[in-house]
Amino acid sequence: MSHDCLFCKIARHEIPAKIVHEDEEFLAFHDINPAAPVHLLLIPKHHIASLADITPADHAWLGRMLQLVPGLAADNGCHPLPEGGFRLVANTGTEGGQEIHHLHFHILGGTRPWSNRAAPAA
């Protein structure tokens, strides 16, 4: 899989994005076609195609990536628990709905109902 995919280009700032978080390892930005009032994408800056490609060597950075999610959700408009919350989605592979083959998490939240694209009942 190419290390020159769309998300790699966004991580290198070759393509603009509305960035809400950046550090040495990760980048979070608004989805250009949001399916919920809050719809962020969180990516590792290094290229890995999907969750199916995770190995034991990836556990540390993947854990750090997951730790970012609640704060990003809260800082970008997701309502607090218990009435609020957020959804975390990682589509994996073509049949799993993955359109860009660079691991990414969709962070979705905000007042319901959301677009049907967000699989509201899943």
Side-chain angles (χ1 to χ4, degrees), residues 2-19 22 27 29 43-48 100-103:
S2 171
H3 298 288
D4 209 30
C5 71
L6 176 65
F7 287 168
C8 287
K9 290 177 181 178
I10 290 172
R12 292 191 304 262
H13 297 275
E14 296 171 4
I15 295 175
K18 189 175 175 187
I19 296 169
E22 182 172 13
L27 188 73
F29 52 94
I43 66 169
K45 286 186 170 181
H46 72 278
H47 185 86
I48 185 162
I100 297 174
H101 294 275
H102 182 122
L103 175 67

mmCIF file of all heavy atoms in Angstrom, residues 2-19 22 27 29 43-48 100-103:
data_model
loop_
_atom_site.group_PDB
_atom_site.id
_atom_site.type_symbol
_atom_site.label_atom_id
_atom_site.label_comp_id
_atom_site.label_asym_id
_atom_site.label_seq_id
_atom_site.Cartn_x
_atom_site.Cartn_y
_atom_site.Cartn_z
ATOM 1 N N SER A 2 0.460 2.254 -0.698
ATOM 2 C CA SER A 2 1.242 3.462 -0.888
ATOM 3 C C SER A 2 1.401 4.273 0.395
ATOM 4 O O SER A 2 0.474 4.403 1.181
ATOM 5 C CB SER A 2 0.567 4.333 -1.944
ATOM 6 O OG SER A 2 1.174 5.597 -2.011
ATOM 7 N N HIS A 3 2.586 4.815 0.585
ATOM 8 C CA HIS A 3 2.816 5.763 1.673
ATOM 9 C C HIS A 3 2.535 7.176 1.178
ATOM 10 O O HIS A 3 2.868 8.146 1.845
ATOM 11 C CB HIS A 3 4.248 5.656 2.197
ATOM 12 C CG HIS A 3 4.549 4.316 2.771
ATOM 13 N ND1 HIS A 3 4.034 3.892 3.971
ATOM 14 C CD2 HIS A 3 5.274 3.294 2.291
ATOM 15 C CE1 HIS A 3 4.450 2.656 4.207
ATOM 16 N NE2 HIS A 3 5.199 2.280 3.206
ATOM 17 N N ASP A 4 1.951 7.270 -0.003
ATOM 18 C CA ASP A 4 1.635 8.553 -0.607
ATOM 19 C C ASP A 4 0.123 8.702 -0.749
ATOM 20 O O ASP A 4 -0.350 9.356 -1.663
ATOM 21 C CB ASP A 4 2.325 8.647 -1.967
ATOM 22 C CG ASP A 4 2.659 10.079 -2.331
ATOM 23 O OD1 ASP A 4 2.900 10.882 -1.414
ATOM 24 O OD2 ASP A 4 2.663 10.392 -3.528
ATOM 25 N N CYS A 5 -0.626 8.096 0.168
ATOM 26 C CA CYS A 5 -2.082 8.168 0.122
ATOM 27 C C CYS A 5 -2.554 9.557 0.557
ATOM 28 O O CYS A 5 -1.766 10.388 1.027
ATOM 29 C CB CYS A 5 -2.693 7.076 0.999
ATOM 30 S SG CYS A 5 -2.483 7.371 2.773
ATOM 31 N N LEU A 6 -3.839 9.792 0.445
ATOM 32 C CA LEU A 6 -4.422 11.076 0.806
ATOM 33 C C LEU A 6 -4.089 11.471 2.240
ATOM 34 O O LEU A 6 -3.677 12.606 2.508
ATOM 35 C CB LEU A 6 -5.945 11.020 0.620
ATOM 36 C CG LEU A 6 -6.717 12.258 1.054
ATOM 37 C CD1 LEU A 6 -6.357 13.457 0.193
ATOM 38 C CD2 LEU A 6 -8.210 11.993 1.006
ATOM 39 N N PHE A 7 -4.222 10.536 3.188
ATOM 40 C CA PHE A 7 -3.968 10.882 4.583
ATOM 41 C C PHE A 7 -2.489 11.107 4.859
ATOM 42 O O PHE A 7 -2.136 11.919 5.714
ATOM 43 C CB PHE A 7 -4.559 9.835 5.525
ATOM 44 C CG PHE A 7 -6.071 9.881 5.613
ATOM 45 C CD1 PHE A 7 -6.763 8.853 6.217
ATOM 46 C CD2 PHE A 7 -6.803 10.942 5.108
ATOM 47 C CE1 PHE A 7 -8.147 8.881 6.321
ATOM 48 C CE2 PHE A 7 -8.192 10.989 5.197
ATOM 49 C CZ PHE A 7 -8.861 9.953 5.806
ATOM 50 N N CYS A 8 -1.604 10.404 4.155
ATOM 51 C CA CYS A 8 -0.173 10.694 4.286
ATOM 52 C C CYS A 8 0.115 12.124 3.823
ATOM 53 O O CYS A 8 0.887 12.844 4.456
ATOM 54 C CB CYS A 8 0.654 9.696 3.480
ATOM 55 S SG CYS A 8 0.751 8.037 4.192
ATOM 56 N N LYS A 9 -0.529 12.535 2.734
ATOM 57 C CA LYS A 9 -0.336 13.896 2.221
ATOM 58 C C LYS A 9 -0.887 14.934 3.192
ATOM 59 O O LYS A 9 -0.279 15.993 3.391
ATOM 60 C CB LYS A 9 -0.987 14.040 0.851
ATOM 61 C CG LYS A 9 -0.252 13.264 -0.230
ATOM 62 C CD LYS A 9 -0.949 13.369 -1.567
ATOM 63 C CE LYS A 9 -0.201 12.564 -2.610
ATOM 64 N NZ LYS A 9 -0.868 12.608 -3.923
ATOM 65 N N ILE A 10 -2.016 14.641 3.828
ATOM 66 C CA ILE A 10 -2.557 15.557 4.834
ATOM 67 C C ILE A 10 -1.598 15.633 6.023
ATOM 68 O O ILE A 10 -1.322 16.721 6.534
ATOM 69 C CB ILE A 10 -3.977 15.132 5.259
ATOM 70 C CG1 ILE A 10 -4.960 15.378 4.109
ATOM 71 C CG2 ILE A 10 -4.416 15.881 6.516
ATOM 72 C CD1 ILE A 10 -6.358 14.832 4.338
ATOM 73 N N ALA A 11 -1.067 14.487 6.448
ATOM 74 C CA ALA A 11 -0.135 14.464 7.587
ATOM 75 C C ALA A 11 1.128 15.271 7.292
ATOM 76 O O ALA A 11 1.719 15.853 8.201
ATOM 77 C CB ALA A 11 0.222 13.026 7.947
ATOM 78 N N ARG A 12 1.533 15.318 6.025
ATOM 79 C CA ARG A 12 2.712 16.103 5.634
ATOM 80 C C ARG A 12 2.352 17.545 5.278
ATOM 81 O O ARG A 12 3.206 18.308 4.815
ATOM 82 C CB ARG A 12 3.405 15.428 4.441
ATOM 83 C CG ARG A 12 4.045 14.109 4.767
ATOM 84 C CD ARG A 12 4.952 13.611 3.641
ATOM 85 N NE ARG A 12 4.287 13.504 2.358
ATOM 86 C CZ ARG A 12 3.780 12.376 1.835
ATOM 87 N NH1 ARG A 12 3.868 11.244 2.509
ATOM 88 N NH2 ARG A 12 3.207 12.378 0.651
ATOM 89 N N HIS A 13 1.099 17.926 5.447
ATOM 90 C CA HIS A 13 0.599 19.273 5.156
ATOM 91 C C HIS A 13 0.705 19.622 3.678
ATOM 92 O O HIS A 13 0.811 20.797 3.320
ATOM 93 C CB HIS A 13 1.293 20.327 6.020
ATOM 94 C CG HIS A 13 1.036 20.144 7.477
ATOM 95 N ND1 HIS A 13 -0.071 20.638 8.121
ATOM 96 C CD2 HIS A 13 1.735 19.468 8.428
ATOM 97 C CE1 HIS A 13 -0.039 20.290 9.390
ATOM 98 N NE2 HIS A 13 1.045 19.573 9.608
ATOM 99 N N GLU A 14 0.656 18.625 2.819
ATOM 100 C CA GLU A 14 0.632 18.856 1.372
ATOM 101 C C GLU A 14 -0.782 19.125 0.881
ATOM 102 O O GLU A 14 -0.962 19.711 -0.189
ATOM 103 C CB GLU A 14 1.223 17.653 0.637
ATOM 104 C CG GLU A 14 2.681 17.414 0.937
ATOM 105 C CD GLU A 14 3.212 16.105 0.386
ATOM 106 O OE1 GLU A 14 2.485 15.373 -0.308
ATOM 107 O OE2 GLU A 14 4.385 15.805 0.681
ATOM 108 N N ILE A 15 -1.772 18.693 1.637
ATOM 109 C CA ILE A 15 -3.185 18.931 1.354
ATOM 110 C C ILE A 15 -3.769 19.573 2.603
ATOM 111 O O ILE A 15 -3.548 19.087 3.714
ATOM 112 C CB ILE A 15 -3.911 17.605 1.016
ATOM 113 C CG1 ILE A 15 -3.354 17.007 -0.281
ATOM 114 C CG2 ILE A 15 -5.417 17.819 0.910
ATOM 115 C CD1 ILE A 15 -3.929 15.649 -0.629
ATOM 116 N N PRO A 16 -4.521 20.662 2.437
ATOM 117 C CA PRO A 16 -5.060 21.337 3.623
ATOM 118 C C PRO A 16 -6.141 20.515 4.314
ATOM 119 O O PRO A 16 -6.860 19.740 3.687
ATOM 120 C CB PRO A 16 -5.624 22.641 3.067
ATOM 121 C CG PRO A 16 -5.868 22.385 1.623
ATOM 122 C CD PRO A 16 -4.863 21.350 1.199
ATOM 123 N N ALA A 17 -6.239 20.717 5.612
ATOM 124 C CA ALA A 17 -7.281 20.105 6.426
ATOM 125 C C ALA A 17 -7.542 21.029 7.600
ATOM 126 O O ALA A 17 -6.674 21.813 7.990
ATOM 127 C CB ALA A 17 -6.841 18.733 6.913
ATOM 128 N N LYS A 18 -8.734 20.920 8.165
ATOM 129 C CA LYS A 18 -9.084 21.699 9.351
ATOM 130 C C LYS A 18 -8.627 20.892 10.566
ATOM 131 O O LYS A 18 -9.361 20.090 11.122
ATOM 132 C CB LYS A 18 -10.580 21.976 9.385
ATOM 133 C CG LYS A 18 -10.993 22.942 10.463
ATOM 134 C CD LYS A 18 -12.469 23.283 10.369
ATOM 135 C CE LYS A 18 -12.870 24.155 11.545
ATOM 136 N NZ LYS A 18 -14.329 24.349 11.568
ATOM 137 N N ILE A 19 -7.387 21.122 10.952
ATOM 138 C CA ILE A 19 -6.711 20.332 11.987
ATOM 139 C C ILE A 19 -7.146 20.795 13.377
ATOM 140 O O ILE A 19 -7.182 21.987 13.660
ATOM 141 C CB ILE A 19 -5.185 20.440 11.819
ATOM 142 C CG1 ILE A 19 -4.768 19.816 10.488
ATOM 143 C CG2 ILE A 19 -4.447 19.791 12.991
ATOM 144 C CD1 ILE A 19 -3.333 20.076 10.080
ATOM 145 N N GLU A 22 -2.484 18.011 16.611
ATOM 146 C CA GLU A 22 -1.299 17.462 15.959
ATOM 147 C C GLU A 22 -0.197 17.320 16.986
ATOM 148 O O GLU A 22 0.034 18.223 17.793
ATOM 149 C CB GLU A 22 -0.832 18.360 14.814
ATOM 150 C CG GLU A 22 0.360 17.800 14.075
ATOM 151 C CD GLU A 22 0.738 18.558 12.822
ATOM 152 O OE1 GLU A 22 0.233 19.691 12.626
ATOM 153 O OE2 GLU A 22 1.535 18.022 12.033
ATOM 154 N N LEU A 27 -2.495 12.978 13.969
ATOM 155 C CA LEU A 27 -3.149 14.166 13.443
ATOM 156 C C LEU A 27 -4.651 13.924 13.504
ATOM 157 O O LEU A 27 -5.117 12.833 13.149
ATOM 158 C CB LEU A 27 -2.720 14.397 11.994
ATOM 159 C CG LEU A 27 -3.152 15.689 11.330
ATOM 160 C CD1 LEU A 27 -2.347 16.860 11.887
ATOM 161 C CD2 LEU A 27 -2.936 15.604 9.824
ATOM 162 N N PHE A 29 -8.421 15.821 12.414
ATOM 163 C CA PHE A 29 -8.988 16.894 11.609
ATOM 164 C C PHE A 29 -10.455 16.609 11.320
ATOM 165 O O PHE A 29 -10.923 15.474 11.468
ATOM 166 C CB PHE A 29 -8.192 17.076 10.303
ATOM 167 C CG PHE A 29 -7.984 15.817 9.509
ATOM 168 C CD1 PHE A 29 -8.850 15.471 8.481
ATOM 169 C CD2 PHE A 29 -6.918 14.971 9.784
ATOM 170 C CE1 PHE A 29 -8.652 14.306 7.750
ATOM 171 C CE2 PHE A 29 -6.707 13.808 9.053
ATOM 172 C CZ PHE A 29 -7.592 13.479 8.036
ATOM 173 N N ILE A 43 -5.708 10.080 12.703
ATOM 174 C CA ILE A 43 -4.803 9.198 11.956
ATOM 175 C C ILE A 43 -3.435 9.141 12.616
ATOM 176 O O ILE A 43 -3.004 10.118 13.231
ATOM 177 C CB ILE A 43 -4.632 9.660 10.488
ATOM 178 C CG1 ILE A 43 -3.924 11.025 10.402
ATOM 179 C CG2 ILE A 43 -5.975 9.695 9.767
ATOM 180 C CD1 ILE A 43 -3.479 11.429 9.007
ATOM 181 N N PRO A 44 -2.741 8.015 12.457
ATOM 182 C CA PRO A 44 -1.316 8.021 12.792
ATOM 183 C C PRO A 44 -0.593 8.712 11.635
ATOM 184 O O PRO A 44 -1.006 8.597 10.476
ATOM 185 C CB PRO A 44 -0.963 6.533 12.869
ATOM 186 C CG PRO A 44 -1.935 5.870 11.956
ATOM 187 C CD PRO A 44 -3.199 6.697 12.018
ATOM 188 N N LYS A 45 0.471 9.423 11.929
ATOM 189 C CA LYS A 45 1.216 10.089 10.855
ATOM 190 C C LYS A 45 1.988 9.100 9.996
ATOM 191 O O LYS A 45 2.232 9.364 8.823
ATOM 192 C CB LYS A 45 2.157 11.138 11.432
ATOM 193 C CG LYS A 45 1.430 12.376 11.912
ATOM 194 C CD LYS A 45 2.437 13.422 12.338
ATOM 195 C CE LYS A 45 1.788 14.744 12.603
ATOM 196 N NZ LYS A 45 2.780 15.757 12.991
ATOM 197 N N HIS A 46 2.370 7.968 10.566
ATOM 198 C CA HIS A 46 3.047 6.959 9.746
ATOM 199 C C HIS A 46 1.976 6.117 9.046
ATOM 200 O O HIS A 46 0.865 5.959 9.541
ATOM 201 C CB HIS A 46 3.975 6.088 10.596
ATOM 202 C CG HIS A 46 3.269 5.139 11.494
ATOM 203 N ND1 HIS A 46 2.763 5.524 12.728
ATOM 204 C CD2 HIS A 46 2.965 3.825 11.343
ATOM 205 C CE1 HIS A 46 2.188 4.473 13.296
ATOM 206 N NE2 HIS A 46 2.289 3.432 12.479
ATOM 207 N N HIS A 47 2.310 5.620 7.891
ATOM 208 C CA HIS A 47 1.334 4.868 7.103
ATOM 209 C C HIS A 47 1.185 3.442 7.619
ATOM 210 O O HIS A 47 2.163 2.708 7.759
ATOM 211 C CB HIS A 47 1.732 4.831 5.625
ATOM 212 C CG HIS A 47 0.683 4.179 4.781
ATOM 213 N ND1 HIS A 47 -0.381 4.879 4.272
ATOM 214 C CD2 HIS A 47 0.520 2.898 4.388
ATOM 215 C CE1 HIS A 47 -1.148 4.050 3.593
ATOM 216 N NE2 HIS A 47 -0.624 2.848 3.647
ATOM 217 N N ILE A 48 -0.044 3.086 7.907
ATOM 218 C CA ILE A 48 -0.443 1.705 8.156
ATOM 219 C C ILE A 48 -1.824 1.592 7.532
ATOM 220 O O ILE A 48 -2.672 2.475 7.721
ATOM 221 C CB ILE A 48 -0.405 1.328 9.649
ATOM 222 C CG1 ILE A 48 -0.719 -0.144 9.818
ATOM 223 C CG2 ILE A 48 -1.292 2.213 10.486
ATOM 224 C CD1 ILE A 48 -0.298 -0.722 11.160
ATOM 225 N N ILE A 100 -10.338 5.037 2.392
ATOM 226 C CA ILE A 100 -8.934 5.442 2.287
ATOM 227 C C ILE A 100 -8.143 4.434 3.101
ATOM 228 O O ILE A 100 -8.376 4.265 4.295
ATOM 229 C CB ILE A 100 -8.722 6.876 2.793
ATOM 230 C CG1 ILE A 100 -9.528 7.830 1.905
ATOM 231 C CG2 ILE A 100 -7.234 7.234 2.799
ATOM 232 C CD1 ILE A 100 -9.536 9.255 2.352
ATOM 233 N N HIS A 101 -7.211 3.774 2.446
ATOM 234 C CA HIS A 101 -6.488 2.674 3.078
ATOM 235 C C HIS A 101 -5.258 3.179 3.842
ATOM 236 O O HIS A 101 -4.121 2.914 3.499
ATOM 237 C CB HIS A 101 -6.173 1.588 2.045
ATOM 238 C CG HIS A 101 -7.436 0.947 1.554
ATOM 239 N ND1 HIS A 101 -8.038 -0.090 2.220
ATOM 240 C CD2 HIS A 101 -8.232 1.249 0.512
ATOM 241 C CE1 HIS A 101 -9.143 -0.428 1.579
ATOM 242 N NE2 HIS A 101 -9.284 0.372 0.552
ATOM 243 N N HIS A 102 -5.576 3.951 4.870
ATOM 244 C CA HIS A 102 -4.646 4.457 5.886
ATOM 245 C C HIS A 102 -5.476 4.409 7.155
ATOM 246 O O HIS A 102 -6.569 4.995 7.206
ATOM 247 C CB HIS A 102 -4.227 5.888 5.548
ATOM 248 C CG HIS A 102 -3.236 6.494 6.498
ATOM 249 N ND1 HIS A 102 -2.011 6.956 6.064
ATOM 250 C CD2 HIS A 102 -3.288 6.748 7.823
ATOM 251 C CE1 HIS A 102 -1.353 7.468 7.102
ATOM 252 N NE2 HIS A 102 -2.120 7.350 8.189
ATOM 253 N N LEU A 103 -5.013 3.702 8.167
ATOM 254 C CA LEU A 103 -5.777 3.560 9.394
ATOM 255 C C LEU A 103 -6.282 4.912 9.868
ATOM 256 O O LEU A 103 -5.523 5.883 9.930
ATOM 257 C CB LEU A 103 -4.910 2.919 10.487
ATOM 258 C CG LEU A 103 -5.546 2.825 11.867
ATOM 259 C CD1 LEU A 103 -6.713 1.849 11.857
ATOM 260 C CD2 LEU A 103 -4.523 2.424 12.903
#
